[in-house]
Amino acid sequence: MHYRFRALLPALCSVAWLGTTGAFAQAPANVAKTTAAAKVTENKAWTPPRTADGKPDLQGVWSNATNVPLERPAEGRGGRARGPAQPGTAADVHYDLSQYGLDRAHSKVAEDDRTSLVTTPDGRIPPRLPEAQQRAAARAAFTREHQWDGPETRPLSERCILWPSEGPPMLSPGYNSNVQIVQGPGYVVIEQEMIHDARIIPTDGRPHLAANVRQWMGDSTGHWEGDTLVVDTTNFTDKTAFQGSTDTLHVVERFTRVANDTLQYEFTVEDPHTWAQPWSAKTFWTKTDDHIYEYACQEGNHGMANNLSGARAVERQAEEAARKQSK
Amino acid sequence: MAASLKALTVAAIALASAAPAWCQTTASAKVKTASKTWAVPRTPDGQPDLQGTWSNTTLTPLERPAELAGKAYLTEQEAAEWEKRTFANLTGDRRDGGADADVARSYNEFWRDRGTKVIGSRRTSLIVDPPDGRVPALTPEAQKRVAQAAAAARAHSTDGPEYQNLWVRCLTRGLPMLPGPYNNDFQIVQTPGAVVILHEMIHDVRVIPLDGRPHLPSDVRQWLGDGRGHWEGDTLVVDTTNFSEKDNFRGSGANLHLIERFTRVGPDEISYRFTVDDSTTFTRPWEAEVPMTRADGQIFEYACHEGNYALADILRGARAQEAAQNGSKQGSK
Amino acid sequence: MRNQFQTAGTAGVWALLALAALPVAAQTAYRAPRMADGHANLNGIWQVMNTANWDLRGHAAAMGRVVALGSEDAMPPGLGVIEGGEEIPYLPAAMAKREQNYNNRLKDDPEVKCYLPGVPRATYMPYPFQIVQSTKTIMFSYEYAGAVRVINMDKPTKSPADSWMGWSNGHWEGDTLVIDVTGFNEDSWLDRVGDYHSDALHVVERYTPRSAETMNYEATIEDSKVFSRPWKISMPLYRHVEKNAQLLEFKCVEFVEELLYGPLRKKPRANP
């Protein structure tokens, strides 16, 4: 969970920051609570409205922000609820996160007092297989040596190719946690604001793409089981690497609207080259009145150019210093 | 190429040996249809049927030769003599000289299709108007333009591909449809709404709509312009504009306005007349008539560019000559 | 696409009406307008909407060959057009040349040099083509490089010499125009990633009208020197329906002169 913040800070490419210091304002009033009737336990008595072709209507703009960590923190005592973020903590002195919508506390979140999204008994992702650990170690070593070599060694978000939280599975990126669902006959389209990626999911039972066609977000097909949309995704590239996985990643997501403004989002992840068994997680999205804005990442990507030219400048300085020393 | 040449040779022999009855038309400027019993066949949608493979090979030159000035038509006897003389002069199939001489001559009449006969009316030029059978004078501006272009071409002809002619560059044989030294073959296909002409060289297809649509916008220019057709009685009239400034038909380029008239005048002949109208180049419009006779066989693939060794070799040779003159070891292989 | 709005009841009503209207089982195949000779009228300007010319197989997007062209030269993604599988059945001995072609495609793809595209590639070039059909002749005129094929609809004849576009003999099977093409040289490619053939190539094409504005195109490809068995591609052809649609000239020979002859210029061009 914490890695996401570290990755986010260098990658604030679309935002012109002014460098003003500032603490949080008081906890904003729009840390939303969902209605009591839609509290996180599934309320099976509620039936969703229907689209014109008789399918459960999941449409709208949803916030998938959450205060629940993906994995239960190692130090957390089991079962203890966490409250919303406290004012005055975890503020970065360089940015006024509240001014530019980067303040997670500004996002609408569903009330959820679980200690992890992951639904394994210990609330943690199962341990990775040895081959996955080796891959991760090799990747880390390579990154340490080469992280400023060029664009290919930078994080996907900094390259404006893909936000890692987009998945699938879809997790909250921390800001711009907005997802819009549109349904037409035979299709469900899910657009994630960051980075304006629309997943077009056919529900006509067609097979997946051929095995040699790989995509960053894989290939998704969907079907309905009762009032739940089940989406099956394969054909990932080996560069997607969700949680260190490979191109044999297989994700099954389940979308159920459990209340007027609450969408229950569950997913199961498996990859025989990364985990010994599948694992699952569950979270809740809450409806917002907002709309999806354009996230023109590539078009404003000063971060990448500045990082690389900064790295080249640092190298030149080091060479200069070395030359002077050897004189 | 070999098969088409054999076919054309057969055709040439056939043409030479047969003496079509319509050859004996009077020395009149208008083309008359063959006989009163022949009626032009029609396509299912009622157009006069121009379809088939046609050749416009002939020994008759575009312009009346100087020595025939004032003589609009040859007699049969004169024509036969003229044909014999001209054909003998054309034939490069000589056996004097050794292998080097053979290579230098490279082509003999086996490769060419310049025909053995003048046109049936024995008119001494393809040009019918002006009456002197010659291309009208160029405007003063055009004379200058043409002279400058010629001088530039002479000075720079081997500098790069752009100064070589369009045949050597394998770009197009252009319009109007005039006979050349070889591949004088065309195929016409008609559908309701369009007449389509395939020029064997260089596999150029003109699709000429008959539906009255306007020409392309004036800033869209094409090597073969943009043709629009309509029927006037039994004559297909094709109006072509939008030529490119890179075209060069005897000095005329972007401003060329070409009007072609196709009339089926016999079972095996189409009368093809064209009017050249470009007041920025010629002091007056002029008109020519080129009979098209039914060809034996079919259109073959003319893959000019794919086998274009000539252009590369011309440039390579020029570079080698320069290198030799400079006394250096430069010049590409 | 079936209208999913129909309820079972409405569907039942339509079925009854359909049965009432037709004395025999409903004929759902499209019937094209007729030429005067009774054959289907295939006249029109057609074009594919796929990426077969990039790669006949299904393929994800990929970086292009020329850095300076950036996204303009990147390979777009596409579903494959090969029926019944994703692989082209190369003979093991023929794979090496395929690899070599792929590695050298910027230099060796005949399309780069504006060479004639051959068959079936001419069909799925990203340019329109026109079928000109009279009661006597069928001609295919391709906008790309002005390529053209005249289809012999009389008794089949043998190719007298190899050519880029092959030798086409055609006949009708119902409303399907079947064209048997032989007489190829070995110089054209099947797509931009180096799929190729030898002079033993034999292609059988089938053009079947499927609606007023679409046609099914299938091509069976066999070449005993390169492939272990015949294989087949298929794709829809879409009619150009805009007013006054016409082919324009794409005489690309001129555009590749700098590429082919630039080094032979007397003076190199400042900005080729």
Side-chain angles (χ1 to χ4, degrees):
Chain A
M1 169 91 137
H2 304 287
Y3 79 91
R4 260 190 283 145
F5 257 115
R6 277 206 292 278
L8 284 170
L9 288 176
L12 296 171
C13 42
S14 270
V15 179
W17 51 75
L18 299 175
T20 54
T21 59
F24 282 121
Q26 75 273 18
N30 62 351
V31 173
K33 290 182 167 26
T34 54
T35 62
K39 221 161 175 300
V40 295
T41 53
E42 294 90 0
N43 183 348
K44 288 200 167 44
W46 186 83
T47 41
R50 305 261 143 201
T51 61
D53 59 325
K55 298 292 183 279
D57 192 337
L58 310 179
Q59 298 181 97
V61 181
W62 303 87
S63 162
N64 68 356
T66 177
N67 288 323
V68 178
L70 179 65
E71 295 188 274
R72 185 167 306 148
E75 66 275 11
R77 285 204 283 275
R80 189 152 80 181
R82 282 164 48 110
Q86 294 304 311
T89 61
D92 184 293
V93 298
H94 296 294
Y95 313 118
D96 179 353
L97 297 176
S98 68
Q99 185 166 7
Y100 294 103
L102 304 173
D103 181 353
R104 288 183 57 216
H106 276 166
S107 308
K108 278 189 88 168
V109 296
E111 190 181 314
D112 186 351
D113 52 13
R114 296 175 299 148
T115 54
S116 69
L117 300 181
V118 172
T119 55
T120 57
D122 66 351
R124 300 194 63 81
I125 296 172
R128 284 172 296 184
L129 295 170
E131 64 168 291
Q133 291 177 35
Q134 280 158 25
R135 275 198 316 268
R139 189 174 277 143
F142 183 84
T143 302
R144 271 195 302 276
E145 283 298 305
H146 297 283
Q147 63 176 310
W148 305 110
D149 282 10
E152 295 81 5
T153 51
R154 304 304 305 150
L156 290 182
S157 49
E158 188 177 312
R159 297 168 75 186
C160 285
I161 290 175
L162 191 75
W163 223 259
S165 53
E166 292 186 76
M170 299 184 283
L171 295 169
S172 166
Y175 57 91
N176 294 348
S177 303
N178 301 307
V179 184
Q180 179 159 14
I181 299 181
V182 179
Q183 289 167 253
Y187 288 93
V188 176
V189 180
I190 304 177
E191 183 193 348
Q192 295 177 82
E193 185 168 55
M194 197 156 74
I195 310 175
H196 61 68
D197 277 310
R199 300 172 60 194
I200 299 176
I201 301 162
T203 53
D204 60 2
R206 69 181 65 180
H208 278 296
L209 291 175
N212 67 312
V213 183
R214 318 303 289 194
Q215 304 197 113
W216 288 102
M217 298 176 73
D219 174 61
S220 298
T221 58
H223 67 278
W224 293 92
E225 287 176 12
D227 283 349
T228 296
L229 173 68
V230 181
V231 177
D232 187 291
T233 307
T234 58
N235 293 72
F236 289 93
T237 71
D238 58 5
K239 291 178 284 205
T240 308
F242 170 70
Q243 296 286 332
S245 62
T246 70
D247 60 2
T248 46
L249 177 66
H250 175 210
V251 178
V252 179
E253 301 157 284
R254 304 174 69 87
F255 300 77
T256 314
R257 192 160 172 197
V258 296
N260 190 51
D261 53 2
T262 307
L263 187 84
Q264 175 180 283
Y265 173 70
E266 306 168 86
F267 61 83
T268 302
V269 165
E270 65 178 341
D271 178 11
H273 294 294
T274 306
W275 301 287
Q277 71 267 11
W279 55 274
S280 300
K282 175 164 70 178
T283 185
F284 296 90
W285 299 359
T286 185
K287 212 149 193 294
T288 99
D289 304 323
D290 225 332
H291 67 251
I292 301 285
Y293 286 85
E294 174 176 278
Y295 191 82
C297 188
Q298 164 80 347
E299 294 74 9
N301 194 355
H302 303 286
M304 172 69 76
N306 289 340
N307 281 338
L308 294 180
S309 61
R312 301 290 85 78
V314 163
E315 284 158 9
R316 278 194 299 274
Q317 283 171 8
E319 283 165 22
E320 271 288 309
R323 254 204 310 279
K324 287 203 176 98
Q325 268 204 337
S326 67
K327 284 209 176 103
Chain B
M1 175 98 139
S4 85
L5 293 163
K6 257 199 272 188
L8 289 165
T9 313
V10 168
I13 293 169
L15 276 174
S17 53
W22 49 260
C23 279
Q24 271 102 45
T25 50
T26 59
S28 134
K30 281 235 185 305
V31 176
K32 288 208 163 75
T33 53
S35 83
K36 290 197 176 60
T37 57
W38 179 84
V40 59
R42 305 220 160 238
T43 65
D45 60 310
Q47 299 177 43
D49 194 334
L50 305 175
Q51 297 183 99
T53 314
W54 307 91
S55 163
N56 63 8
T57 294
T58 179
L59 287 180
T60 303
L62 177 68
E63 296 189 281
R64 185 161 303 145
E67 67 266 22
L68 292 176
K71 191 168 172 57
Y73 288 88
L74 299 174
T75 65
E76 273 189 60
Q77 174 78 359
E78 287 165 334
E81 279 169 14
W82 202 83
E83 285 163 358
K84 204 159 126 201
R85 207 168 48 238
T86 310
F87 188 71
N89 287 340
L90 282 177
T91 301
D93 189 1
R94 297 157 53 175
R95 292 290 181 263
D96 54 320
D100 283 352
D102 276 351
V103 169
R105 288 169 194 149
S106 68
Y107 289 122
N108 61 20
E109 287 315 294
F110 179 79
W111 297 103
R112 282 192 274 245
D113 177 28
R114 284 192 280 208
T116 55
K117 310 285 289 175
V118 297
I119 59 177
S121 65
R122 284 168 281 130
R123 194 176 58 246
T124 50
S125 64
L126 296 176
I127 291 178
V128 296
D129 185 51
D132 69 355
R134 298 194 63 86
V135 176
L138 300 182
T139 64
E141 186 272 331
Q143 285 177 36
K144 221 166 48 157
R145 179 172 24 100
V146 167
Q148 278 171 356
R154 268 194 308 276
H156 299 284
S157 70
T158 57
D159 282 11
E162 293 79 13
Y163 289 98
Q164 294 289 313
N165 72 50
L166 299 184
W167 290 34
V168 171
R169 294 169 76 190
C170 284
L171 284 173
T172 183
R173 193 154 131 171
L175 285 173
M177 306 191 306
L178 282 172
Y182 42 81
N183 293 87
N184 302 319
D185 298 296
F186 306 87
Q187 180 165 7
I188 299 180
V189 181
Q190 288 167 267
T191 76
V195 175
V196 179
I197 306 177
L198 164 57
H199 306 214
E200 186 170 64
M201 181 175 162
I202 305 174
H203 61 74
D204 276 322
V205 175
R206 293 197 281 159
V207 178
I208 299 159
L210 304 171
D211 60 6
R213 69 178 67 181
H215 277 293
L216 290 173
S218 63
D219 55 348
V220 180
R221 318 300 291 195
Q222 306 199 118
W223 290 99
L224 295 176
D226 178 54
R228 297 286 180 263
H230 67 278
W231 288 95
E232 287 175 9
D234 284 350
T235 295
L236 173 69
V237 181
V238 178
D239 186 291
T240 306
T241 58
N242 295 71
F243 284 96
S244 160
E245 62 184 11
K246 293 175 282 196
D247 280 306
N248 182 3
F249 175 58
R250 305 190 72 98
S252 174
N255 294 334
L256 174 60
H257 177 204
L258 182 70
I259 300 152
E260 299 161 287
R261 295 187 153 78
F262 299 78
T263 313
R264 182 97 177 264
V265 295
D268 297 314
E269 185 174 334
I270 287 176
S271 156
Y272 170 70
R273 298 174 80 97
F274 64 84
T275 303
V276 173
D277 175 18
D278 176 4
S279 57
T280 67
T281 301
F282 306 105
T283 46
R284 48 160 287 180
W286 51 280
E287 188 180 349
E289 197 221 350
V290 191
M292 297 172 69
T293 54
R294 191 176 292 285
D296 195 20
Q298 62 189 94
I299 302 291
F300 287 83
E301 174 174 287
Y302 194 92
C304 186
H305 171 63
E306 292 72 12
N308 193 356
Y309 300 98
L311 181 49
D313 288 343
I314 288 169
L315 298 176
R316 211 171 276 132
R319 303 289 86 78
Q321 275 184 328
E322 285 154 12
Q325 278 160 14
N326 295 340
S328 71
K329 292 263 186 319
Q330 288 161 18
S332 48
K333 288 226 170 81
Chain C
M1 179 141 31
R2 291 265 314 281
N3 184 346
Q4 296 174 336
F5 288 90
Q6 282 179 328
T7 62
T10 319
V13 170
W14 283 118
L16 274 172
L17 286 174
L19 281 172
L22 297 159
V24 294
Q27 173 76 302
T28 52
Y30 167 72
R31 186 167 162 77
R34 301 287 110 187
M35 298 289 291
D37 58 9
H39 290 302
N41 182 349
L42 306 184
N43 276 291
I45 298 177
W46 304 90
Q47 188 166 352
V48 300
M49 278 205 282
N50 61 32
T51 59
N53 185 51
W54 281 94
D55 186 347
L56 290 172
R57 269 172 238 78
H59 50 274
M63 190 171 152
R65 302 151 290 184
V66 178
V67 169
L69 284 173
S71 166
E72 285 185 12
D73 187 46
M75 175 184 284
L79 301 173
V81 297
I82 302 172
E83 276 195 7
E86 280 304 312
E87 281 314 311
I88 297 176
Y90 282 99
L91 291 165
M95 272 308 297
K97 180 151 197 319
R98 163 63 172 79
E99 285 295 302
Q100 188 192 343
N101 286 350
Y102 178 77
N103 293 330
N104 296 319
R105 59 198 187 282
L106 188 55
K107 190 173 59 69
D108 290 345
D109 182 356
E111 185 190 346
V112 170
K113 289 173 276 197
C114 183
Y115 285 168
L116 292 169
V119 175
R121 190 175 185 184
T123 310
Y124 46 83
M125 294 296 290
Y127 303 86
F129 63 91
Q130 184 155 3
I131 297 180
V132 178
Q133 174 188 0
S134 72
T135 51
K136 296 189 175 163
T137 313
I138 301 181
M139 182 190 292
F140 283 70
S141 177
Y142 300 92
E143 186 173 90
Y144 169 74
V148 58
R149 301 158 68 193
V150 178
I151 315 300
N152 168 35
M153 296 300 290
D154 297 322
K155 237 170 53 144
T157 53
K158 283 180 67 132
S159 162
D162 285 352
S163 62
W164 288 79
M165 300 299 290
W167 188 260
S168 293
N169 286 306
H171 68 277
W172 290 97
E173 288 176 13
D175 277 1
T176 295
L177 174 63
V178 182
I179 306 181
D180 191 296
V181 198
T182 53
F184 290 98
N185 62 28
E186 59 183 14
D187 296 321
S188 63
W189 280 11
L190 300 172
D191 57 26
R192 288 181 177 172
V193 287
D195 290 306
Y196 74 104
H197 61 83
S198 77
D199 58 3
L201 178 65
H202 174 211
V203 179
V204 178
E205 300 171 291
R206 302 176 67 87
Y207 296 81
T208 309
R210 69 183 290 285
S211 77
E213 261 107 51
T214 60
M215 191 147 58
N216 272 340
Y217 175 73
E218 304 160 89
T220 303
I221 296 165
E222 64 178 311
D223 184 332
S224 55
K225 294 191 201 170
V226 176
F227 309 118
S228 60
R229 57 169 173 80
W231 50 286
K232 194 169 167 209
I233 60 173
S234 65
M235 60 194 76
L237 305 177
Y238 296 90
R239 185 190 291 277
H240 273 261
V241 299
E242 62 269 30
K243 193 163 190 274
N244 297 334
Q246 79 177 72
L247 297 191
L248 295 174
E249 285 179 1
F250 185 69
K251 291 177 151 303
C252 43
V253 169
E254 186 194 359
F255 311 141
V256 302
E257 284 184 324
E258 177 60 28
L259 173 67
L260 296 176
Y261 311 117
L264 298 176
R265 286 185 187 288
K266 183 171 186 165
K267 279 192 276 270
R269 269 206 172 152
N271 284 313

